[in-house]
Each structure stands twice: as structure tokens, then as C-alpha cells.
Amino acid sequence: VQGADEVTVILSDKRKFKAKVVGTDPETALAAVQVDAHDLVPATLGNSDDVEVGDWVLALGSPFGLKETVTAGIISATGRGNVGIAVYEDFLQTDAAINPGNSGGPLVNLRGEVIGINTAIASRSGGNMGVGFAIPSNMAKRIMEQLMHEGHVDRGYLGVYLQPLTEELARSFGVDPNTKGALIGDVIPGSPAEAAGLKAGDIITRFDGRPVDSADALRHAVANTKAGSKVKVEFLRKGRSQDVFVTLGHRSEASVASSTPQSRRDQAVVEAKLGIAVAALTRERAKSLGYPENTHGVVVTRVTPGGLAQVADIRAGDIIVAVGDTPVDSVESFRQAIEKQDLAKGVRLQLLRDQIRRFVFVQAR
């Protein structure tokens, strides 16, 4: 309905109604529309949390204008994210044929219950290749209820930048490499997370009593929790379990150098080891990169192709602020910190990129 001047709903019995857009949620690509009609039989919503891989499903829609088309398949995967369709993605994946024109149609189980809303396909040809995605019915129901009652979706806001917890990063923080959780790369100043005492490097393992398996899982859990809610957050800090209570904010409000001879030698040592060149982060350089003048660290000026740093996704312009748990504020302190590390075992670096702190793990292989 985005950009539409008028919305028309056509029923299977050929009746047509002008529809009113009650509300939209671009972050999940969903909308609620209302029609003034009688003698309608509502579809039964199923519980998408009960869906399992291998379940048989039917996809209904009007592919290529062919109305009331039904195709069959199975659930190929659940909890599919990082597809690039919407901000919040927790799709059901199916191999039931979905083509242009299927979007918005129901995905139903063999009991006729709607368990998803067909949304998109992954395709190199533009047609069905057996990889289709549907928004789970439980997510759609939550969005629908908020749109109907509030006219918009109110999501909780924690105020952290999250990143996946890899085995290497887990080991570097002194926790079991098989630990499940979400790693905090940075905490936004003035956020609920900062007020509660959460810090960069904390690994969140449970949110409001529910286990956190990944950064995406935590992102969805926070978004699905009402703003203003006080929730318990359990996390690991330096290998030790801790917990805090956080009062979530409103996401909508939140959205809204020259080198000396010695430094050149230091740089040569670092470049040989890591495959990067670094320079002092002067006030002028920090300001030119868009950071406060009192930002501490060293700036990456060059990355050697194929070197350890490039493999770890370190980029020119990144600001390295810590080696392991040791803050760095000069080329010399950075060099000393690196020389104390065993690159065969690996070293964790904390970076600033695009105003956001993040961690990378560098290891000689």
C-alpha cells in the first residue's frame, strides 16, 4: 500500500471494497487495512511458533495475475534473517512456489490455519527457484494488534550495538567458545543500557527470562517488548555471570599526522605483524573523521591485501581503541600492546567505525 492513493480489496466472490489503511509498519513490510463489509469469514490464525522444518504448507496468491492459485511445499527453515527485505526479519522459508503476485497471500498448514504471510523470494531469474519467505503469523498478529489500536508500532529500545559472538571472540573474553549470546560492541550514551550499567564487551545470554541465542534473537526480543517495560537482562562480563534490570525506552524516539623516525619504525613492526599501518589520532584527524577531538586510539591508514587485518575485516579509517583489555592512545602504546600478544592464539581488538564500537579477532593461521 506504500504510495497508493487508493486501496481496493477484491474478495473471492468478486465483491470489491474500497479499503482504509489503518496503519503501516515499514520495518516489517506489513500494513493493516479495513473494509466496511458483512458476511465475511475470517481466516484462522495458527501458531507459527509451533511450525517445524519439514511441515507441509500451501501458498495462496495471484502469481502473474493468475487469481486464487495454490502451490504446495514444505517449511525449509524457520527464523531466517539477514535476507535484506526488512529491518526485522524472522522469516519462515518454504519451497512452495512463490512468484510475483504472491506477496501478501497466506501460507497455511494442512489444517487450513494461516501460519505466515508470503513476502518475497530469493531468485536469480525473478521467478520461483524454491526459496520463498513468509512473515510468521505470530509476528503479523502482534503488528496487526498494535496498528489497529495505536495506528503505529511501538518497539522497545535498549541502546546497544550488537554483533555475533564468534568462537574466537568468546575465547578472548574468557568464556566457553560454544556460549550462545549477543555481544555488545558499543553502548549508546544516554541509553537505557548505559543507565543500567551494561558495557561494551558484555555478552547477553538471557533477556526477560528467555535465552538469547544470537544478536538477531536479542534484537527481535527487545523490539517485541513494550517500551517502558522493566526487564531482567542476564550477561557475562569477563567470564562471570551478572544481571541487571533495564527499563526499555521507545525505539521511535531513539531512532529519531606526521610520523617521527621512531613512529615509522613502530609502524613497520605493526604492519609486518598485522598487515596494517597506523598513525596517531590527533585532534585534527579525529575531527576530520567525525569524532570528538578527545577520542583516544590510533587510526588505521593502510591495510595490506591478504594480511591478517584484512582477513579480520579491519579497514582503513578504523580507529583502534583497545588491544584485548588494554586501551591504546598512541602508536607506541599500540605497538607495545601488540608485541605482548601471541598472534598464533589470536588477539581481540576493539574498533570505532562509523561512530560505532565493534570487536574483531585477529589470528595467524
Side-chain angles (χ1 to χ4, degrees), residues 74-317:
I74 63 169
I75 294 294
S76 307
T78 61
R80 185 69 80 194
N82 299 313
V83 179
I85 299 170
V87 175
Y88 292 100
E89 298 180 340
D90 190 27
F91 293 122
L92 301 175
Q93 181 180 325
T94 179
D95 67 352
I98 295 177
N99 288 287
N102 274 107
S103 295
L107 185 72
V108 304
N109 58 25
L110 296 189
R111 292 187 295 274
E113 299 168 335
V114 178
I115 57 168
I117 298 177
N118 301 324
T119 300
I121 59 174
S123 174
R124 293 178 179 175
S125 64
N128 174 60
M129 296 185 71
V131 184
F133 303 102
I135 297 170
S137 58
N138 288 2
M139 175 187 282
K141 183 179 178 181
R142 286 193 298 269
I143 300 300
M144 175 192 69
E145 290 173 345
Q146 290 197 55
L147 291 176
M148 289 177 63
H149 293 101
E150 308 292 338
H152 65 275
V153 178
D154 186 11
R155 294 186 169 88
Y157 167 69
L158 185 59
V160 294
Y161 292 107
L162 300 172
Q163 62 181 97
L165 180 65
T166 65
E167 291 185 7
E168 294 84 358
L169 283 171
R171 288 193 185 95
S172 74
F173 282 109
V175 301
D176 188 300
N178 295 316
T179 298
K180 301 292 184 183
L183 174 62
I184 297 178
D186 201 2
V187 176
I188 297 172
S191 67
E194 184 185 56
L198 291 172
K199 299 179 180 179
D202 289 344
I203 300 168
I204 297 178
T205 56
R206 297 183 73 85
F207 178 84
D208 199 22
R210 301 186 298 273
V212 172
D213 293 332
S214 65
D216 280 341
L218 178 59
R219 193 173 291 111
H220 285 292
V222 173
N224 290 332
T225 305
K226 191 176 180 63
S229 300
K230 188 174 184 179
V231 298
K232 184 179 181 181
V233 176
E234 299 171 54
F235 60 97
L236 298 171
R237 179 178 293 169
K238 296 184 178 179
R240 298 181 60 182
S241 296
Q242 300 186 40
D243 62 75
V244 294
F245 282 90
V246 183
T247 301
L248 299 180
H250 294 264
R251 185 180 183 275
S252 56
E253 296 174 1
S255 309
V256 181
S258 62
S259 303
T260 64
Q262 178 61 44
S263 69
R264 283 196 294 270
R265 285 194 294 272
D266 294 343
Q267 180 171 294
V269 172
V270 171
E271 188 164 5
K273 277 198 165 191
L274 296 182
I276 55 173
V278 299
L281 184 63
T282 62
R283 289 175 177 271
E284 294 76 14
R285 182 170 279 152
K287 188 175 181 180
S288 71
L289 292 171
Y291 294 95
E293 293 181 357
N294 60 352
T295 302
H296 295 291
V298 293
V299 62
V300 177
T301 59
R302 183 171 63 255
V303 179
T304 304
L308 299 182
Q310 186 185 54
V311 172
D313 195 34
I314 297 175
R315 307 174 190 177

